[in-house]
C-alpha cells in the first residue's frame, strides 16, 4: 500500500444497474478524494418492470467489460488498485450476488482487501465528496429506496422512510400500467409537463414516514376509469408524492437543526422534485445540493468512495463474511 494515496475499485449491483467506479484519496492531515472513473451499465426493458433473474443475467454479461472500461477510464492497471469494495446491501438478492462475486474474485485473484459497503450511505457520502455539503440531510429517492438520512450523534440515522415501496418503483409501476417503458420516472416527468389540472390523490405522510401503495392503487383506478388524461395524472402524481417527500425532508432539517439538504437516488434527477426542494430550502434559509446525474443514480463511484472511507476506519470484509445483505438497514451500518 502506498503511504499517501489509496485507490479503490467499487462495484455496484443492487438493482437494475451494474456499475464499476474508481476513486482515490490522498491521505494526509485532511483526506481528499476524487473520482477517477464511473462506468454505468443499466438494464432496461421496453415494457417495464425488472425480472431479477434477467437483470442478474445482464450484470453477468457486462461485468467484465465494465471493469475493463473503468480501469481504462482511470488510466490505471488492476495492480494500481489498493482496495476492492462492493455494495453488500440492501438490494435485490439476484443482482447483489453478481457484484459480490465479481468483487470477491478480484480481491482473491489480485490479493486486495475486500470492503462491503452500505448502498444507501454511499449516496450520502458521494454527495459530500462532490458538492460543498458538509453535514447534510440526504433525501434519498430511488427505485427501491426512499429515505431521509443524516449522520447524527455518532451514527447514520433514518429520519423518515417509505413504509412500503420506493417512490421510483411506484412511478415505474404506474408508467408500466399506462404503457410507458422502464424506467418510468423520466417518462412520467415528460408526461407531467403537459398536465393542466390537479387531480386529488391520497396524501400519505404518517409521522415522518411516507407510503405509496395506496396512491398507486388510487391513481391506477382513476386511469382505468378513463376520465382523466395521462398528462393530468402524471402531473398530479408528481405534485402529490414529491410534496410528501419535501415535507418529511423539511421536518428532518428542522429536527436536526441542519442547514443543508442533499439529494440522491434516480428520482432526484426529476426537475420538478429539485425545484420543490429548492423552494423549500430557500424559504427556510437552507442550502440545496444536487450532484450531477451520474452520481445521483446508482453508480460504482460512490461504492468506491465509501470503500475508501470504510477502509480508513478499519473495515475489512473477509471473503467468508462477504455474504450479501439484501435487507441491510442504513441505521445498522
Ligand atoms: P436508482 O434506483 O437510484 O438507480 O434510480 C432509478 C429510479 O429512478 C427508477 O425508478 C427511475 O424511474 C427513477 N428516475 C430516473 N430518472 C427520473 C426522473 N427524471 N424523474 C423521476 N424518476 C426518475
Ligand atoms: Mg440507489
Amino acid at each position: 500500500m502506498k503511504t499517501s494515496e489509496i485507490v479503490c475499485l467499487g462495484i455496484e449491483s443492487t438493482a437494475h444497474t451494474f456499475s464499476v467506479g474508481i476513486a482515490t484519496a490522498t491521505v494526509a492531515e485532511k483526506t481528499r478524494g476524487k473520482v477517477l472513473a464511473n462506468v454505468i451499465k443499466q438494464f432496461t426493458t421496453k415494457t417495464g418492470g425488472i425480472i431479477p433473474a434477467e437483470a442478474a443475467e445482464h450484470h453477468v454479461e457486462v461485468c467484465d467489460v465494465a471493469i475493463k472500461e473503468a480501469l481504462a477510464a482511470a488510466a490505471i492497471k488492476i495492480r494500481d488498485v489498493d482496495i476492492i469494495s462492493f455494495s453488500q446491501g440492501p438490494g435485490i438478492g439476484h443482482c447483489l450476488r453478481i457484484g459480490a462475486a465479481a468483487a470477491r474474485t478480484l480481491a482473491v485473484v489480485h490479493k486486495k482487501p475486500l470492503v462491503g459497503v452500505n448502498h444507501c450511505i454511499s449516496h450520502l457520502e458521494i454527495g459530500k465528496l462532490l458538492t460543498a455539503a458538509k453535514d447534510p440531510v440526504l433525501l434519498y429517492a430511488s427505485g427501491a429506496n426512499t429515505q431521509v438520512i443524516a449522520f447524527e450523534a455518532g451514527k447514520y440515522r433514518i429520519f423518515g422512510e417509505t413504509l412500503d415501496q420506493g417512490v421510483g418503483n411506484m412511478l415505474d409501476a404506474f408508467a408500466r400500467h399506462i404503457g410507458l417503458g422502464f424506467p418510468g420516472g423520466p417518462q412520467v416527468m415528460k408526461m407531467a409537463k403537459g398536465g393542466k389540472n390537479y387531480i386529488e390523490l391520497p396524501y400519505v405522510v404518517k409521522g415522518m414516514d411516507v407510503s405509496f401503495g395506496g396512491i398507486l392503487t388510487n391513481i391506477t383506478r382513476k386511469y382505468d376509469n378513463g376520465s382523466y388524461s395521462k398528462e393530468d395524472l402524471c402531473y398530479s402524481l408528481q405534485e402529490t408524492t414529491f410534496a410528501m417527500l419535501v415535507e418529511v425532508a423539511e421536518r428532518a432539517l428542522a429536527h436536526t437543526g441542519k442547514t443543508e439538504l442533499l439529494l440522491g437516488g434516480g428520482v432526484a434527477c426529476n426537475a420538478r422534485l429539485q425545484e420543490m426542494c429548492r423552494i423549500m430550502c430557500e424559504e427556510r434559509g437552507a442550502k440545496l445540493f444536487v450532484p450531477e446525474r451520474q452520481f445521483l443514480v446508482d453508480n460504482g463511484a460512490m461504492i468506491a468512495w465509501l470503500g475508501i472511507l470504510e477502509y480508513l476506519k478499519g473495515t475489512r470484509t473477509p471473503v467468508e463474511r462477504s455474504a450479501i445483505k439484501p435487507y441491510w438497514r442504513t441505521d445498522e451500518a
Side-chain angles (χ1 to χ4, degrees):
M1 160 96 37
K2 285 152 271 173
T3 47
S4 60
E5 184 113 332
I6 309 182
V7 176
C8 179
L9 182 149
I11 300 183
E12 159 60 30
S13 75
T14 54
H16 69 295
T17 299
F18 187 91
S19 175
V20 180
I22 299 176
T24 178
T26 311
V27 185
E29 218 161 287
K30 190 173 179 331
T31 301
R32 288 182 200 285
K34 190 161 78 181
V35 172
L36 301 179
N38 193 31
V39 173
I40 298 176
K41 308 276 183 194
Q42 284 175 339
F43 172 72
T44 58
T45 65
K46 289 208 166 55
T47 47
I50 308 180
I51 297 172
E54 286 179 6
E57 192 60 38
H58 161 267
H59 295 353
V60 171
E61 273 162 28
V62 301
C63 174
D64 233 31
V65 173
I67 293 169
K68 285 190 183 120
E69 284 180 16
L71 288 168
I76 59 169
K77 301 265 182 268
I78 189 77
R79 64 167 177 271
D80 303 320
V81 171
D82 301 299
I83 313 161
I84 305 291
S85 66
F86 68 104
S87 257
Q88 201 167 5
I92 301 171
H94 289 72
C95 300
L96 282 169
R97 256 176 227 116
I98 309 304
R104 277 180 213 121
T105 308
L106 287 177
V108 171
V109 171
H110 300 285
K111 301 189 175 58
K112 314 280 184 192
L114 184 64
V115 178
V117 306
N118 181 285
H119 173 95
C120 306
I121 292 172
S122 72
H123 277 285
L124 178 65
E125 292 300 338
I126 195 72
K128 280 165 63 186
L129 174 67
L130 299 176
T131 72
K134 291 201 171 60
D135 181 25
V137 167
L138 171 73
L139 171 56
Y140 172 34
S142 76
N145 299 296
T146 299
Q147 293 184 339
V148 176
I149 305 169
F151 191 80
E152 180 76 356
K155 79 193 274 268
Y156 293 99
R157 292 170 199 271
I158 301 173
F159 289 90
E161 64 187 316
T162 179
L163 297 171
D164 42 36
Q165 60 199 309
V167 61
N169 282 2
M170 181 274 299
L171 293 173
D172 291 338
F174 182 61
R176 176 186 187 181
H177 187 75
I178 65 174
L180 309 172
F182 173 82
Q187 310 291 337
V188 169
M189 183 171 85
K190 269 188 221 149
M191 257 309 142
K193 289 206 179 102
K196 289 186 185 68
N197 307 297
Y198 178 76
I199 300 157
E200 191 84 29
L201 293 171
Y203 182 94
V204 194
V205 175
K206 300 179 184 186
M208 286 292 281
D209 295 326
V210 292
S211 154
F212 299 106
I215 299 175
L216 180 60
T217 306
N218 185 286
I219 193 166
T220 301
R221 288 213 184 112
K222 285 195 165 92
Y223 173 77
D224 291 343
N225 285 344
S227 33
Y228 302 101
S229 74
K230 285 184 185 176
E231 287 80 2
D232 283 346
L233 287 170
C234 288
Y235 165 72
S236 306
L237 186 58
Q238 285 198 167
E239 292 304 304
T240 307
T241 55
F242 294 171
M244 290 160 44
L245 298 179
V246 172
E247 180 189 331
V248 174
E250 177 165 26
R251 273 197 275 137
L253 285 171
H255 176 74
T256 57
K258 295 190 196 291
T259 54
E260 299 173 333
L261 180 66
L262 174 69
L263 299 187
V267 182
C269 298
N270 188 289
R272 179 59 182 147
L273 178 59
Q274 291 182 7
E275 182 185 23
M276 288 166 80
C277 288
R278 189 160 287 120
I279 293 168
M280 179 271 279
C281 285
E282 272 167 22
E283 283 177 355
R284 56 176 302 112
K287 280 199 189 118
L288 176 68
F289 297 94
V290 187
E292 68 176 273
R293 185 183 166 88
Q294 63 165 320
F295 302 109
L296 281 174
V297 298
D298 287 348
N299 66 87
M302 67 183 185
I303 304 306
W305 176 237
L306 185 54
I308 289 178
L309 296 179
E310 289 281 2
Y311 181 85
L312 292 175
K313 276 193 320 184
T315 307
R316 304 290 184 273
T317 311
V319 170
E320 60 279 11
R321 281 199 282 117
S322 66
I324 57 164
K325 301 178 184 174
Y327 301 102
W328 196 7
R329 282 181 59 79
T330 305
D331 45 11
E332 283 164 0

